[in-house]
Amino acid sequence: MHPGIAACAQRAQRLITAYHTDLRWTIVGVDEGGYVHTEDFHRELPEDPGKAEEYARLFDELDAALRADDGPAAARIATRSAELHNDRLPKKSLSDLTALQRDFGAHGICVAHSGTLAGLIFSRYQSDHDERVAGCRAALDERGYTGSTFTLKEARRP
């Protein structure tokens, strides 16, 4: 896996930028099951021109947040992108994740825009990180999800 965060032109299968961050993110995620064949997904659901402008604005904001290592801002942008995309590839867990975000103070929500994963973004910079993550995983289990924990592989700064 790529260490860190990378922006890719998914349809063109091209790397745009590899970011070198120190976000120290932990994602408590759920896999909603099944699979999405990315090329078929894009062929069957072409880009929504009405949303393209907002996605472009979000990308510019995300680019600035990642270059500044502003994890909370990047997580807020990820949340807006997840909400915006939910009509194209709905995540059944989104309303539960939204409630858990408030309950456990997650920085945001992230989703696979052409996949089955969704999750909550925490940061090791949160002083009670481990308690938040453990509580969130337990709450997901209570709601019938199997939560997994993923950590961001940080890219070393040049």
Side-chain angles (χ1 to χ4, degrees):
M1 289 186 63
H2 170 78
I5 296 174
C8 299
Q10 192 175 48
R11 292 174 195 268
Q13 300 175 356
R14 179 179 53 83
L15 176 68
I16 297 171
T17 299
Y19 296 94
H20 300 280
T21 65
D22 190 28
L23 301 179
R24 301 186 189 184
W25 276 2
T26 299
I27 310 297
V28 178
V30 298
D31 187 340
E32 296 192 347
Y35 70 93
V36 176
H37 188 278
T38 300
E39 289 175 3
D40 291 345
F41 173 77
H42 288 302
R43 210 174 6 262
E44 294 166 12
L45 283 171
E47 185 177 32
D48 179 344
K51 292 183 180 176
E53 190 174 303
E54 185 168 3
Y55 277 122
R57 182 184 54 76
L58 288 173
F59 180 78
D60 289 344
E61 290 175 13
L62 182 62
D63 181 70
L66 292 173
R67 290 179 190 282
D69 269 340
D70 188 343
R76 283 191 301 275
I77 295 161
T79 302
R80 177 62 190 135
S81 181
E83 295 165 347
L84 189 62
H85 191 70
N86 204 51
D87 65 338
R88 294 178 60 79
L89 185 61
K91 299 295 189 265
K92 296 172 284 201
S93 60
L94 188 60
S95 63
D96 286 327
L97 291 173
T98 299
L100 293 173
Q101 178 187 5
R102 286 188 303 268
D103 293 348
F104 292 96
H107 287 306
I109 297 170
C110 58
V111 300
H113 280 60
S114 65
T116 61
L117 297 175
L120 291 164
I121 302 167
F122 295 92
S123 174
R124 287 224 166 258
Y125 288 117
Q126 293 171 289
S127 62
D128 54 353
H129 166 273
D130 293 346
E131 293 80 14
R132 289 174 194 257
V133 167
C136 183
R137 288 194 64 177
L140 283 169
D141 288 344
E142 289 172 10
R143 287 173 164 79
Y145 300 101
T146 301
S148 298
T149 304
F150 307 93
T151 54
L152 177 65
K153 294 167 122 182
E154 301 289 350
R156 299 263 189 254
R157 292 199 180 276

